[in-house]
Structures are given as structure tokens and as C-alpha cells.
Amino acid sequence: MSKKKTIIKWAALVVGGLIITLVSFGYWFLSLLPAPVVSKEVLRQTQPENLPYLVEGKAPNRGKILAVVTSTAVMGNSEKPTGYELTELARAYYIFQANGFEVEIASPLGGSPPVVIDADDMREYDYAFLNDEVAQNKVTNSLAMQDVKPDDYQAVFFVGGKGAMFDFPQNTYIQSLVRGYYESGKVIGAVCHGPAAFVNVTLGNGEPLIANKTISSFTNEEELLLIPDARDIFPFLLQDKLMEKGANFNEGSMYLNQVSSEKNLVTGQNPWSTWSTAESVVEQLGYTPKRREITTEESSVAILQAYETGGYDKAKKTLSNYCISNINAIDRELLAVHSIVAAMQFDLLKAIELIQLLSFSNDAVINKSI
């Protein structure tokens, strides 16, 4: 056999071995994700009245909160579709409603704004929102910002979605409302790309609203991992622009919960911060948020945050505590996604340790079910 044929043979064996190894790993990795306790089909049927948090121990009427969503359907010249993030609106909407606030919805252009629905992120509250006739009527007939009467509301909440980067910053009605609310002490909240509403707001003293304010928003790292050419698509990266305007940018761990409160200004970093951001708005309004059973997604975020602050052992202990109380209390898919993100960032130790946590949680499910 010639030297060339020998090299080809060994190369084929190596490539074949790698393929077999990768396929085997893939099957094993997927085996760590048990079938969901509640199927997607059942989740899709969720109605608001099926959620105890919304129907039990109703809070008294405390006024109105305005939720603002983007009207932009396409990211600049990229032809990439966009809109507001349904999960960020739905979860905040129900937090406010459960705590006694009627929620009205506005957008720069009014009418039916474009929406982004990511099936992988959808949970019971999100499907309940889609099945909520009152909520859907409000969102499909959103108020145009020019028709909003600021005095009607106790607070405003800017919902994220990449479209906000294109129509929030230049909207003079948004700028006027935010300026008036901040200077009068009314509460202003925003999550993910929602803080784009603040970048061009100037106060009566001529200073930018966000100068020397502690602010969180979707970070450069989070943006560029999902959209590598984001600098070419967006008019700016939100973290860069906020810092350019003088904000003290408060960056948390990638794709985990991070909320900043600066007097009457409350901001959250990403979609996983929506629950906490909305509840912080309620607190800034002077109320103790109604007790809520945290979601499986939030439990997994807590485990991941424990990993970021204390490493594998702390995360494993946190995971164990959840499994002791309820083996179905965590979202194993979210742990899997974060292990993949770590691998994409070439942080192989983190990826391996998160897979070990996933395996540990799977073992807990199996052992408790025997």
C-alpha cells in the first residue's frame, strides 16, 4: 500500500471515529433531558384562570401602568424580522396585574405591533397571555405614543425586543414621557433592549437622563454572540450607547438575571430578568410584590448564578436543594443551553461542569422516581 493510501486510510478512520463519538455524545446529551412533566400541547391551552398567582388573593385596584412595545418589524436593512419579545411583555403584564395594576399597551405607531415568539422560551404565563382575550385586544390595538396621556399612569415599562433599538431612541413622545416621569418621581422600568428608550432623553437641567445612573440592559457580549454582525445592523450597541451617555453600566452574567434600581429608574439586563424587573417596579411604587411561586426557569437561573459566583460545588448544592423539594422544580433545557453557550465561547471547563450538573439533575429524577 502506498504512503498516500495509508494516510487516507488513517484519516478516514480518525474522521469516522470522531463522527461516531460525536453522535454517541449527542444521544447521551439528549438523554439527560427527560420528557417534560407538562407537554407543550397542554401548555398551549393555558388560560389566565389556570394560574393561581393571578386568581388567588387579588390585590386592590392601584391604578394603571403603561407598557410600551416596539413597532419595528425588520432590523434596519438586514431583512431580519424583529418585534417586541412576547415573554417580556406577558410576564411583566401579569406581575403588574396580580399586584393590582391595570396594564395598557402602547407603541410608537399604535395598532398591532410585530411580535417575536420563541417557542423554546414559551412557558405557561406566555401561553396564557396568548389565550387572554383582554390582553390580546389591548396589544393588537395598542395606543400610539402620540395619543398617550401620561397623567393616566403610575408607571411606564419599556418592553424589550431588538426592534426597540430602531424606534424607541428617536421617538419624541417617548422622550417627553420619560423626562416628565423621571422629574416628577414616577417610576420608569425597562428590560433587555427597552432601555434604548432612554439614550436620547435629556433632563430639564440639560444633562442626559442616564448620566451617572446605574443601568442594566442587553450587553454587547449577549448581542454579539447571537448576532455577530450586530454592529453593522443596529444603529449602535445598547451597552456602548448607554455608557457613552454616562451611565454606570451594571453588567451581570450572560443570559442570567440582573436588575438595577436607581431611585425611580429600574432596568433589567435580558429576558431572564423580566420577573425581577417587573417586581422591582412594584416595589418602587411602594408595594410589597405579591408572593409568587418561582418558575422552573427561574430555579435554573438561580443554579447558574450560583455557578457563576461559587463554582460547581455551590451550583450542585443549590440544584440539590431544588431537587429535594421537587424533582421537577428546575428547567433542565436551560442548563443544557448554557452548556452549549459555554462551548460556543470555548470555555470547555464550564461547558463540562454544566453538563455534569445536568447529569446530576437527571440522576436525581431517576432515583426519586424509582
Side-chain angles (χ1 to χ4, degrees), residues 92 95-96 157-158 187-192 216 257-261 265-284 292:
I95 289 287
F96 298 146
F157 183 81
F158 291 94
V187 178
I188 304 164
V191 69
C192 199
S216 293
N257 183 33
Q258 178 74 9
V259 178
S260 298
S261 292
L265 191 61
V266 180
T267 50
Q269 180 168 314
N270 50 41
W272 297 272
S273 308
T274 302
W275 297 109
S276 297
T277 305
E279 288 178 331
S280 292
V281 167
V282 173
E283 288 177 342
Q284 289 299 317
R292 174 178 61 84

Side-chain angles (χ1 to χ4, degrees), residues 26-81:
Y27 277 112
W28 173 77
F29 186 76
L30 291 174
S31 75
L32 299 180
L33 302 174
V37 177
V38 180
S39 70
K40 279 286 187 182
E41 188 53 43
V42 172
L43 281 179
R44 290 190 189 98
Q45 306 307 315
T46 306
Q47 302 291 326
E49 55 267 28
N50 300 143
L51 303 172
Y53 174 64
L54 299 181
V55 298
E56 297 175 0
K58 290 187 176 180
N61 189 322
R62 292 167 172 164
K64 295 180 180 180
I65 291 177
L66 182 69
V68 182
V69 301
T70 180
S71 294
T72 300
V74 178
M75 297 184 211
N77 298 320
S78 70
E79 299 185 357
K80 295 178 184 290

Side-chain angles (χ1 to χ4, degrees), residues 99-137:
N99 283 280
F101 295 95
E102 181 184 350
V103 183
E104 292 189 351
I105 300 169
S107 61
L109 299 180
S112 183
V115 59
V116 174
I117 299 178
D118 187 336
D120 291 335
D121 293 335
M122 295 286 285
R123 302 293 187 272
E124 58 267 35
Y125 284 86
D126 312 309
Y127 285 115
F129 186 80
L130 288 178
N131 295 324
D132 187 330
E133 290 186 8
V134 174
Q136 288 303 303
N137 182 61

Side-chain angles (χ1 to χ4, degrees), residues 294-304 318 322 329-331:
I294 67 171
T295 65
T296 58
E297 181 184 73
E298 290 174 283
S299 299
S300 291
V301 166
I303 293 165
L304 291 162
T318 304
Y322 281 116
I330 63 172
D331 184 337

Side-chain angles (χ1 to χ4, degrees), residues 149-334:
K149 297 178 181 178
D151 290 343
D152 288 352
Y153 309 99
Q154 279 63 55
V156 63
F157 183 81
F158 291 94
V159 176
K162 299 182 189 302
M165 296 284 285
F166 298 92
D167 60 1
F168 280 9
Q170 307 302 330
N171 189 283
T172 56
Y173 297 102
I174 286 177
Q175 293 171 19
S176 176
L177 182 143
V178 171
R179 181 187 309 112
Y181 271 31
Y182 184 80
E183 293 185 330
S184 65
K186 283 192 172 183
V187 178
I188 304 164
V191 69
C192 199
H193 291 88
F198 308 151
V199 300
N200 289 322
V201 176
T202 302
L203 300 177
N205 61 8
E207 291 290 320
L209 164 72
I210 55 179
N212 301 312
K213 305 294 192 311
T214 301
I215 301 288
S216 293
S217 78
F218 210 58
T219 67
N220 288 357
E221 187 179 28
E222 290 170 326
E223 196 79 87
L224 292 168
L225 183 69
L226 294 176
I227 306 179
D229 56 346
R231 294 185 190 277
D232 298 323
I233 292 175
F234 295 113
F236 50 81
L237 292 186
L238 187 51
Q239 177 179 349
D240 285 348
K241 180 62 72 173
L242 292 169
M243 294 175 68
E244 176 189 314
K245 296 287 186 174
N248 300 318
F249 195 80
N250 186 19
E251 181 174 356
S253 299
M254 180 180 279
Y255 305 133
L256 297 181
N257 183 33
Q258 178 74 9
V259 178
S260 298
S261 292
E262 179 89 19
K263 295 183 179 178
N264 56 330
L265 191 61
V266 180
T267 50
Q269 180 168 314
N270 50 41
W272 297 272
S273 308
T274 302
W275 297 109
S276 297
T277 305
E279 288 178 331
S280 292
V281 167
V282 173
E283 288 177 342
Q284 289 299 317
L285 285 164
Y287 303 100
T288 299
K290 180 181 176 181
R291 185 188 175 282
R292 174 178 61 84
E293 183 176 342
I294 67 171
T295 65
T296 58
E297 181 184 73
E298 290 174 283
S299 299
S300 291
V301 166
I303 293 165
L304 291 162
Q305 286 181 314
Y307 179 87
E308 295 293 336
T309 59
Y312 177 80
D313 289 340
K314 183 176 180 181
K316 184 175 180 180
K317 183 177 180 181
T318 304
L319 190 155
S320 297
N321 290 337
Y322 281 116
C323 288
I324 287 171
S325 61
N326 180 0
I327 60 173
N328 298 311
I330 63 172
D331 184 337
R332 279 173 282 279
E333 286 187 19
L334 191 56

